[in-house]
Amino acid sequence: MRIRSMKVAFIGLGVMGYPMAGHLQKAGHEVCVFNRSQAKADKWQAEFSGTSAKTPALAAKDCEIVFCCVGNDDDLRQVVLGENGILAGMPKGSILVDHTTASAEVAVELAGIAASQEQYFLDAPVSGGQAGAENGVLTVMVGGDETIFNKAEPVMAAFARFSQLMGPVGSGQLAKMVNQICFVNTVQGLAEGLNFAQKAGLNIDKLLDTIGKGAAGSWQMDNRGKTMCAREFDFGFAVDWVRKDLAIAFAEAEKLGADLTVTKQLDGYYKEIQENGGNRWDTSSLISRFKK
């Protein structure tokens, strides 16, 4: 179903935001972008024929929905708050959809400020990595009001194959923490299994094709199994970023009294990879700890 064209903004043109904003423009929306590096905004504008603004507030001016995807809590506050921030430019009744992987606390904080100005906020972290963003098939975990989610979801469909309202504001970020906990544990299991298979002399292509159809199958196996065995780690979601995400989960787990013993061990493995120069390798690099 085709939806009506809207005036929207996208703040943050990193490896995720750049293609996400492009999908919105290609879907027929009038997109204005802001990026702290103007050169990146200029490149996006030239590629997608949208517009760019000098501040987040100017990008958000007159927009029905503003999307945001930056690095962390501090980055988020910098682009949302203040006289040049998103909320200063957004009209009353408009929606800020934040795709940053951040803390649940900052989501609740910003939602409260937005509400005081008669604006709306959804925390909406995504899963699917750089490839998912480029192909427009991200999964979005959302926290906020159901009515507001229903207004934003058809627009998010430009870059997402599935979006789910998880609960009130902050719930999207909590769900993303669970996602990160689960996937790094999956990657470690895959790394150990594939290292075992290589040392046993098994045919990796046949192995993956076979066990991928059974209980061991996963997205990680389908998309990273062969590249892990080839020691290729240039697929977007960097070790630096997963450790940032896990730190958020550990802080929340401390408050909840949740046990993340194994995940903390894996975080230590990623720390080793960083210290050995692999900080920009993707998360499948856990297998690099094993000798071939």
Side-chain angles (χ1 to χ4, degrees), residues 5 13 23-24 64 73-74 88 91 104 109 129 152-153 157 175 183 196 203 207 213 221 230 252 257 281:
S5 175
L13 299 176
H23 285 298
L24 288 167
E64 294 181 63
D73 286 21
D74 290 340
E109 172 192 333
E153 190 277 331
F183 102 74
F196 179 99
N203 181 299
L207 175 73
K213 293 179 172 64
M221 181 177 289
E252 191 68 34
W281 286 353

Side-chain angles (χ1 to χ4, degrees), residues 116-292:
S116 72
Q117 301 176 182
E118 299 180 53
Q119 300 159 325
Y120 300 101
F121 180 91
L122 298 173
D123 58 296
V126 301
S127 179
Q130 183 176 349
E134 292 173 349
N135 294 320
V137 292
L138 293 170
T139 296
V140 190
M141 297 148 270
V142 186
D145 180 82
E146 184 175 8
T147 301
I148 302 307
F149 168 75
N150 289 337
K151 291 180 180 179
E153 190 277 331
V155 185
M156 290 191 290
F159 50 74
R161 64 178 172 185
F162 183 76
S163 300
Q164 178 73 271
L165 182 66
M166 306 303 301
V169 168
S171 300
Q173 296 296 352
L174 292 171
K176 180 61 183 289
M177 295 174 207
V178 176
N179 184 84
Q180 304 306 75
I181 293 164
C182 291
F183 102 74
V184 297
N185 280 271
T186 299
V187 172
Q188 176 63 11
L190 183 59
E192 291 184 11
L194 292 177
N195 177 66
F196 179 99
Q198 287 183 311
K199 290 186 179 302
L202 290 171
N203 181 299
I204 297 299
D205 289 345
K206 289 182 178 179
L207 175 73
L208 292 172
D209 186 53
T210 302
I211 67 172
K213 293 179 172 64
S218 68
W219 186 97
Q220 296 293 336
M221 181 177 289
D222 291 343
N223 291 273
R224 296 290 178 265
K226 292 181 181 179
T227 56
M228 287 172 77
C229 289
R231 298 303 202 266
E232 296 172 359
F233 307 128
D234 187 23
F235 295 95
F237 190 48
V239 168
D240 283 350
W241 289 111
V242 76
R243 292 206 69 218
K244 183 270 289 185
D245 290 0
L246 290 177
I248 295 170
F250 295 148
E252 191 68 34
E254 186 73 22
K255 289 184 288 184
L256 295 173
D259 187 346
L260 296 181
T261 300
V262 176
T263 307
K264 287 181 179 178
Q265 184 175 3
L266 301 186
D267 181 60
Y269 294 166
Y270 280 125
K271 184 174 184 289
E272 289 178 20
I273 293 170
Q274 284 179 316
E275 291 171 346
N276 289 320
N279 59 301
R280 298 304 303 171
W281 286 353
D282 73 71
T283 52
S284 69
S285 58
L286 279 175
I287 199 172
S288 70
R289 298 181 61 255
F290 301 112
K291 292 181 179 179
K292 291 185 180 180

